[in-house]
Amino acid sequence: MKKVLLAVFTVVLVAILGFVLFVNASTPKNYNQEYPISDLKVEPDSARLARGEYLVYGPAHCGHCHVPVDKLEALESGEKVPMTGGFGLEIPPGVFYAPNITPDKETGIGRYTDGELYRMMRYNITPSGHAAFDFMPFINMADEDIYSIIAFLRAQKPIKHMMQPIELSFLGKMIYAFDGIKPGKPDKDVPKTIEEIESIAYGKYMAYAVANCRGCHTNRDLKTGEYIGEEYAGGLVFGPDNLSGGWQFITPNLTNDAETGIMAKWTEDQFIERMRSGRVHQYSPMPWLAVADMKEGDLRAVYRYLKTVKPVKNKIDETAIENPE
Ligand code: HEC
Ligand code: HEC
């Protein structure tokens, strides 16, 4: 009997050891074959440079992750802080450092072709070829907006600053070992260009494909990023983590539900006023400055779109809780 138990124990131990070794030795899948890099060449005309600047420092809030943590305050007060690489975003799968996206040739995007940058924005595949965790929700951006962002980034001053590579935890390695992170799947009807007018369609585009209102104001599985809640009904929980000063944040319900949705309570002008007045909670993850700086027409379009989203009853009692149990 003892011998049998010992044999079973040994088999289990070897299996566990083998599993740990396998996970630790595996590297994220490389997608270069399946998603070849195009030979795109973006012409940096003045319309693209202006649109790119607006998107990068405004609604697409790239700086929120791609500037050093001690520069966030300057960024929030409106300074165009160079995007030399951000702080470590700590989540269960690991610590993720947003890299230097100034055009430096050794440490920044000067190393990459326009095709590589386009693939990052459209499919979330990094220039090195792995599928990134879903930090950058831009896979449904219009081609023309991606070109504008590339043109603008390339026109910035190059700054040398090598960011640390991402540090995967055992969980993160396991997720990658079993190919749990896939390239982004853009919708079939992603537009080539988009008309900037105060329409519901443009509001949807901003909320969904550029400013990520949807990504934060919809409940999601924090391990995989998968959407598990009703769109815009809130309930996604942030922290407390290394950046939140002990606070936990829960996104409010942005639908038009009469009892529990913000859009039912606020008029269009109240919405604009609230968006413009910026951050109330010092540690809130919402990129308040980027939103506050959005063009008035864009904010009006977002409001009009949110009014049309399916109303969902989802009561969020508090959106900021200090030192939760
Ligand atoms: C929520 C945080 C976040 C936001 C917002 C964000 N990024 Fe990133 N970005 C990251 C992280 C994290 C990585 C590294 C991913 C990896 O290597 O797995 C990254 C990687 C990149 C890369 C690849 C660079 C390299 O050296 O591998 C580019 C290019 C990039 N981001 C551009 C942008 C642009 C342009 C925007 C705005 C339109 C933006 N990012 C917004 C977090 C963010
Ligand atoms: C990175 C995540 C994130 C993104 C992106 C984001 N939000 Fe939020 N939002 C939050 C969190 C967390 C809160 C609750 C804490 C707070 O009020 O700052 C919040 C609060 C709000 C509130 C309530 C403010 C109040 O005074 O009660 C509104 C309205 C709102 N967001 C609208 C938007 C819109 C519109 C967009 C897109 C343009 C957007 N958010 C993008 C995370 C986000």
Side-chain angles (χ1 to χ4, degrees), residues 55-56 60-66 83 87 89 96-101 107-109 111-112 116-117 120-121 124-128 130-138 141 149-150 153 166 176 210 212:
L55 292 173
V56 165
H61 61 276
C62 315
H64 210 62
C65 299
H66 285 276
M83 309 224 172
F87 41 88
L89 299 155
F96 295 81
Y97 299 94
N100 180 353
I101 54 172
T107 63
I109 59 162
R111 293 174 286 176
Y112 310 133
E116 286 171 316
L117 294 176
M120 179 74 205
M121 304 301 292
N124 272 338
I125 300 173
T126 63
S128 63
H130 69 269
F133 274 82
D134 187 16
F135 293 108
M136 295 170 33
F138 309 116
M141 238 187 214
I149 287 175
I150 294 174
L153 291 179
I166 57 182
Y176 268 124
V210 178
N212 200 27

Side-chain angles (χ1 to χ4, degrees), residues 282-293:
Q282 182 186 355
Y283 297 108
S284 167
M286 174 146 159
W288 275 105
L289 175 88
V291 175
D293 269 0

Side-chain angles (χ1 to χ4, degrees), residues 61 64-65 87 89-92 134-135 137 211-222 225 227 234-252 279 281 283-288 316 318-324:
H61 61 276
H64 210 62
C65 299
F87 41 88
L89 299 155
E90 262 183 68
I91 53 172
D134 187 16
F135 293 108
N212 200 27
C213 319
R214 168 178 178 256
C216 287
H217 286 272
T218 306
N219 202 6
R220 297 167 73 171
D221 177 341
L222 290 178
Y227 287 81
L236 183 61
V237 177
F238 289 86
D241 58 29
N242 60 328
L243 303 169
S244 77
W247 285 82
Q248 179 177 63
F249 294 94
I250 301 129
T251 50
R279 125 179 348 268
H281 301 283
Y283 297 108
S284 167
M286 174 146 159
W288 275 105
I316 308 292
E318 274 180 283
T319 54
I321 302 171
E322 195 168 13
N323 298 318

